[in-house]
Amino acid sequence: MDEEQCDAGADAPVVGVLGSDLGWYLAVILRRWTEQVEQAAADVPHGTRGYQILSVVGHNSPPTQSGLARHLRIDKTVMPYVIDALEGAGLVERRVDPSDRRVRRIALTPRGEDVLVGLEAKVAAAEDEVFAGTSPDARREFLDLAARLAVTIHGAQPSLDPCLAVAGVLADPALGARAR
C-alpha cells in the first residue's frame, strides 16, 4: 500500500498493513490516551504520573513508596521527588506504618481525595475522546478484555507490591480498566 492509498483510506481499518500489529495498535491507543489525559491532569504535579499515583493510592490501602514505585514502574530514585511534589501540593502524605515504624505509607489527604474525584471526571471525559467513534458495546468489550489481560500479566509479576497485586485481581472486571 502506498502513501496515497493510506491517505485515501485514512478512515478505513488498516489491518494487514506493515507496522500495524499489536504493538502498533497499542502504541497508537496509548499515545492518544496520554495526550488526552496529560491535558486533563495538567494541574497535578507530574501530570499523568501524578494522576496515576493518586488513583492507585486513592483506591487501595496505603501502599509503601517502594511498592508504589514498583507497581507503576517508576524508578525508585525518581519516586521520592514525585511524592514530594504531590505532598507539597497537599494531595498526599507519608504516614508511619503502625506495624513497622521504619516504613512510610502513602495516603491521600482530604484535599487529595477531592482532587482525585475531579480528576477522575476529567480523565473519564478524556477517555470518551479516545473512544470517540466506537460503540458503547465495543468500548465495554475492549476494556473488559484489556482489564483481564492486564490483571493476568500484572498478577504474574512477582516484583509487584502484593497488596496492590491482590487488589488488582479482586477488582471487578465489569468496572473497566480501573476500579472506581
Side-chain angles (χ1 to χ4, degrees), residues 21-34:
D21 57 5
L22 177 61
W24 185 82
Y25 297 143
L26 294 174
V28 169
I29 294 166
L30 181 59
R31 188 171 32 252
R32 181 69 171 152
W33 182 89
T34 300

Side-chain angles (χ1 to χ4, degrees), residues 74-87:
I74 297 172
D75 187 273
K76 66 182 180 180
T77 63
V78 172
M79 183 59 94
Y81 299 106
V82 179
I83 298 299
D84 287 347
L86 293 169
E87 194 171 38

Side-chain angles (χ1 to χ4, degrees), residues 10-50:
D11 295 332
V14 290
V15 176
V17 174
L18 184 62
S20 60
D21 57 5
L22 177 61
W24 185 82
Y25 297 143
L26 294 174
V28 169
I29 294 166
L30 181 59
R31 188 171 32 252
R32 181 69 171 152
W33 182 89
T34 300
E35 291 167 355
Q36 294 297 315
V37 174
E38 273 299 325
Q39 289 177 18
D43 295 334
V44 175
H46 296 276
T48 300
R49 182 180 280 175

Side-chain angles (χ1 to χ4, degrees), residues 12 15 40 43 51 54 68 84 88 110 116 128 141 164 167 170 176 180:
V15 176
D43 295 334
Y51 162 70
L54 294 178
L68 188 58
D84 287 347
L116 179 58
D128 288 345
E141 183 177 0
L164 293 176
L170 295 177
R180 290 188 188 234

Side-chain angles (χ1 to χ4, degrees), residues 79-179:
M79 183 59 94
Y81 299 106
V82 179
I83 298 299
D84 287 347
L86 293 169
E87 194 171 38
L91 303 175
V92 300
E93 62 186 8
R94 292 175 172 100
R95 294 182 183 162
V96 175
D97 185 321
S99 64
D100 186 347
R101 295 175 48 99
R102 298 168 295 173
V103 174
R104 299 288 182 265
R105 297 204 170 264
I106 310 303
L108 290 182
T109 63
R111 181 172 186 273
E113 291 172 5
D114 291 343
V115 167
L116 179 58
V117 169
L119 269 173
E120 287 178 331
K122 289 180 180 180
V123 168
E127 290 176 354
D128 288 345
E129 287 295 319
V130 172
F131 282 97
T134 60
S135 72
D137 288 341
R139 179 178 179 166
R140 262 190 305 282
E141 183 177 0
F142 176 82
L143 290 175
D144 182 53
L145 292 171
R148 289 173 194 240
L149 181 58
V151 167
T152 299
I153 291 168
H154 194 71
Q157 297 174 340
S159 67
L160 296 174
D161 182 312
C163 296
L164 293 176
V166 168
V169 171
L170 295 177
D172 182 359
L175 295 176
R178 65 177 187 279

